[in-house]
Amino acid sequence: MLLGALLATAGCATVSASDLITSGPRYEAPSVQAPYALGIGDQIRVIVYGDQVINNVYKVGPDGMVVLPLIGAIAAAGRSTGDVQVEATRRFAAGYLNSPSVAIQIDRYRSVYVLGEVLKPGAYDYAPDMTAASLIANGGGFTPRAKKSYVFIRAEGGTEEKAYEVTPALHILPGDTVRVVERYF
C-alpha cells in the first residue's frame, strides 16, 4: 500500500482505458488539400525572380512575423505560404519592384519535442506526415524502461497533456511535445 502511494505521488503515469485516446484526427492521414499553417520557428525561403539580394531564408519570429527586406514585417503565423506570398508580392509591387515574381516555400519546419524514456530526448525538426513512431525513432528509440503502449502529447500552445495510444497511425503535429513515460512493472 505504501508503495502504491509513493508511486502515485511520484507522478506515476497510469492511464485508465477511458482516458486513453485511440481514434480521432491524430490517427487520420493529414489531408493533402489542407495547407500547412506557418508557426513560430518555421523558416521560409523567399525567391524573388531577378533580385538576388532578397532571395534568402527567413525565420518566423516569436511575434509570428517574418521580416523581409524593403517591405518589413508580414504576419506569417497561422497563414499558409501562399497567403504570405500574395501579401509579399503586393507589397513589393507597391513602389519597390516592378512586376515582382515572388515564390515562398518552407525551408525548415519548426521543432517537435520528445521527452522522457527515449535514448536521446530533445528537439527534432518536424516533417510532414510525421508519426509518434518516427519521432521516437529520431530520439534513439525507447529505453528499456519505457511504457510503449501510450504517450502523452501536449499540442503547441497548449497547457494540457493528453494520453494517446501508440500505433503506426498516430501523427505528430508541428510544435507538439511528446512525453514517453516509464513503466514500473
Side-chain angles (χ1 to χ4, degrees):
M1 204 165 173
L2 179 59
L3 178 61
L6 287 173
L7 288 175
T9 60
C12 177
T14 57
V15 174
S16 69
S18 63
D19 292 334
L20 187 63
I21 300 170
T22 60
S23 64
R26 285 190 181 268
Y27 292 94
E28 300 167 6
S31 171
V32 178
Q33 279 112 5
Y36 176 81
L38 293 168
I40 296 167
D42 281 331
Q43 294 181 15
I44 59 173
R45 179 171 302 280
V46 177
I47 301 165
V48 178
Y49 179 74
D51 192 319
Q52 297 304 316
V53 175
I54 297 172
N55 296 350
N56 209 337
V57 174
Y58 301 91
K59 189 172 188 174
V60 179
D63 57 356
M65 307 293 273
V66 62
V67 180
L68 301 178
L70 301 176
I71 60 174
I74 294 177
R79 300 174 72 189
S80 71
T81 55
D83 292 341
V84 175
Q85 179 177 315
V86 167
E87 185 172 344
T89 301
R90 182 185 56 75
R91 286 196 191 179
F92 281 128
Y96 297 106
L97 300 173
N98 188 19
S99 299
S101 178
V102 179
I104 296 180
Q105 60 193 31
I106 296 171
D107 185 69
R108 186 174 185 182
Y109 293 93
R110 60 192 179 270
S111 296
V112 292
Y113 308 89
V114 62
L115 310 170
E117 294 299 317
V118 292
L119 294 173
K120 296 183 289 184
Y124 294 91
D125 288 341
Y126 171 78
D129 206 21
M130 180 177 256
T131 63
S134 61
L135 175 59
I136 291 166
N138 285 343
F142 291 113
T143 67
R145 295 188 54 97
K147 180 85 171 172
K148 298 175 183 175
S149 58
Y150 62 86
V151 295
F152 288 95
I153 299 176
R154 182 174 44 86
E156 179 179 55
T159 58
E160 179 182 322
E161 286 185 328
K162 295 181 182 178
Y164 290 88
E165 179 182 23
V166 175
T167 71
L170 177 57
H171 286 86
I172 301 302
L173 303 174
D176 278 352
T177 299
V178 176
R179 185 169 58 92
V180 178
V181 297
E182 180 179 13
R183 65 178 168 82
Y184 291 99
F185 302 102

